[in-house]
């Protein structure tokens, strides 16, 4: 059965969740988290997206971002692909580490942009701090 097309956000803002396959850890240590954050920063410059917040939670990641010059699918393919290549090399693994098809939630665009971003930030700000590495930008 074919996959249903993504709903395109009118605001261009998405709350994205990427999960480890079989709920496996994708951030084993601080170096892994640091590398993922570096990857986000590197592709932010290339893809020109706005990253409003992130939360790394061991076996999954929450991102709040606004599309830039490249579509969301391309941005996520770059971020996931780059991180997974590095992760697999570090841990002598092969294959997927994160579920290849990320989950995204279009953020309601019926309000002006600051209100839209605030909706997504509320979700990320309320993550349990004892198990998460979060940053709101």
């Amino acid at each position: 059965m074919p996959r249903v097309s993504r709903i395109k956000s009118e605001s261009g803002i998405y709350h994205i969740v990427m999960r480890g396959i079989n709920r496996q850890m994708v951030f084993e240590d601080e170096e892994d988290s640091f590398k993922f954050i570096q990857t986000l920063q590197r592709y932010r410059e290339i893809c020109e997206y706005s990253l409003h917040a992130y939360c790394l939670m061991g076996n999954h990641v929450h991102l709040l971002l606004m599309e830039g010059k490249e579509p969301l699918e391309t941005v996520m393919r770059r971020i996931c692909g780059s991180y997974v290549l590095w992760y697999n090399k570090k841990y002598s693994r092969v294959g997927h580490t994160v579920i290849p098809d990320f989950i995204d939630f279009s953020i309601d665009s019926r309000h002006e942009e600051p209100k839209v971003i605030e909706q997504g930030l509320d979700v990320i700000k309320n993550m349990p701090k004892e198990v998460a590495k979060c940053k709101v930008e």
Side-chain angles (χ1 to χ4, degrees):
M1 185 163 157
R3 186 175 121 21
V4 177
S5 296
R6 291 190 193 285
I7 297 172
K8 182 84 171 148
S9 168
E10 291 178 28
S11 68
I13 300 172
Y14 296 90
H15 174 189
I16 298 160
V17 180
M18 299 175 347
R19 298 189 185 282
I21 289 182
N22 295 322
R23 297 185 178 162
Q24 81 178 42
M25 298 296 281
V26 291
F27 305 110
E28 303 282 344
D29 59 25
E30 284 296 313
E31 181 184 24
D32 299 349
S33 298
F34 182 73
K35 182 63 176 180
F36 187 81
I37 293 166
Q38 279 185 320
T39 303
L40 287 175
Q41 292 169 340
R42 185 167 102 232
Y43 285 108
R44 181 167 50 182
E45 293 170 12
I46 294 168
C47 304
E48 297 178 12
Y49 62 83
S50 299
L51 181 65
H52 296 287
Y54 62 81
C55 194
L56 314 183
M57 302 207 39
N59 69 350
H60 68 284
V61 179
H62 292 265
L63 303 172
L64 181 64
L65 66 79
M66 180 188 290
E67 285 180 309
K69 73 177 187 180
E70 294 188 345
L72 182 64
E73 294 79 7
T74 302
V75 171
M76 296 312 299
R77 191 175 324 114
R78 287 177 182 262
I79 291 169
C80 293
S82 178
Y83 179 73
V84 168
L85 282 174
W86 175 86
Y87 183 93
N88 283 350
K89 184 176 180 181
K90 177 181 176 182
Y91 292 105
S92 301
R93 289 181 29 98
V94 294
H96 295 289
T97 299
V98 296
I99 295 174
D101 191 22
F102 59 91
I103 302 163
D104 66 87
F105 304 97
S106 300
I107 303 294
D108 188 355
S109 62
R110 290 177 287 179
H111 305 287
E112 62 217 49
E113 186 176 309
K115 186 78 170 171
V116 171
I117 293 170
E118 190 177 307
Q119 290 173 3
L121 290 177
D122 285 343
V123 173
I124 291 176
K125 283 181 190 175
N126 291 314
M127 298 291 167
K129 303 300 180 241
E130 63 276 1
V131 297
K133 179 184 287 279
C134 300
K135 182 174 183 188
V136 175
E137 299 187 355

